[in-house]
Amino acid sequence: MALCPDRYSLRPFSHEDACALTDVTLAAIRSVGRVHYSEAQLQVWAARLHNPQRFVDRSEAGHTIIVAVDGHDYPIAYALLEPVTRNGCHLDMLYCHPDHTRRGLADLLLADSERQARAQRASCLFTEASELACPAFARAGYRMVRRRDLAIEGIAIHNYAMEKRLS
């Protein structure tokens, strides 16, 4: 278990975390996301991520979920890494509960994600970052590849393809 500021720590996912991680995700989208995204965009984004079982399924499929917890071992942030492929390691999710932002948790989760990707001999990490997540990824050494404009259920939304070479 890695120690974080403010008595936070990092640990692996357990199935009991699934509902709390869903709450973290939805709170982050609905609260912090309002800065750069419309209400319609937030609704379609959140609708795709409301099922706690997805964390259990991803864990059982071999994905790595790094959980940041508070002093009571309650999940307040997380990162989800997909298994390494020939393209590298995909960091699919990075979310922090709005009550715990700006405390270095994203930086610590990104550093631990990189450590785990390197341990799996990944040559790079890649992600699709929201407007709000881009600065954290940039601080961690990711470079922007391109803006991605897409539609979810007919609602236009965007994010940024970013990557970090590890070798």
Side-chain angles (χ1 to χ4, degrees):
M1 202 183 311
L3 293 179
C4 300
D6 298 325
R7 298 187 195 170
Y8 297 134
S9 58
L10 300 181
R11 64 164 172 76
F13 171 79
S14 72
H15 290 188
E16 293 77 29
D17 296 330
C19 287
L21 295 187
T22 299
D23 291 344
V24 165
T25 307
L26 297 176
I29 291 169
R30 291 178 179 144
S31 176
V32 182
R34 292 191 191 290
V35 174
H36 292 287
Y37 296 93
S38 72
E39 186 60 35
Q41 289 170 322
L42 297 174
Q43 286 179 10
V44 295
W45 183 2
R48 300 178 62 213
L49 302 173
H50 73 282
N51 180 6
Q53 183 62 40
R54 72 189 169 87
F55 290 105
V56 173
D57 294 345
R58 300 285 294 269
S59 176
E60 290 177 353
H63 300 199
T64 300
I65 305 172
I66 307 159
V67 181
V69 296
D70 65 14
H72 302 286
D73 198 43
Y74 191 78
I76 46 87
Y78 70 95
L80 189 149
L81 285 166
E82 295 178 344
V84 175
T85 66
R86 64 184 170 94
N87 296 327
C89 192
H90 182 224
L91 180 55
D92 188 35
M93 295 184 205
L94 175 69
Y95 287 95
C96 182
H97 192 280
D99 292 345
H100 300 273
T101 59
R102 306 220 183 273
R103 297 184 187 177
L105 288 168
D107 297 339
L108 290 160
L109 286 164
L110 288 170
D112 199 59
S113 296
E114 182 177 333
R115 181 188 61 76
Q116 293 201 33
R118 285 181 187 279
Q120 296 176 42
R121 299 178 192 239
S123 60
C124 75
L125 273 163
F126 60 97
T127 194
E128 298 79 30
S130 70
E131 285 283 347
L132 291 163
C134 280
F137 283 99
R139 278 193 312 274
Y142 284 72
R143 71 172 185 85
M144 190 171 307
V145 176
R146 71 181 186 288
R147 177 180 162 130
R148 293 173 7 114
D149 291 295
L150 52 141
I152 303 172
E153 297 183 26
I155 303 294
I157 194 166
H158 68 277
N159 60 26
Y160 298 91
M162 299 183 79
E163 69 178 18
K164 180 176 185 175
R165 293 280 168 209
L166 301 178
S167 53

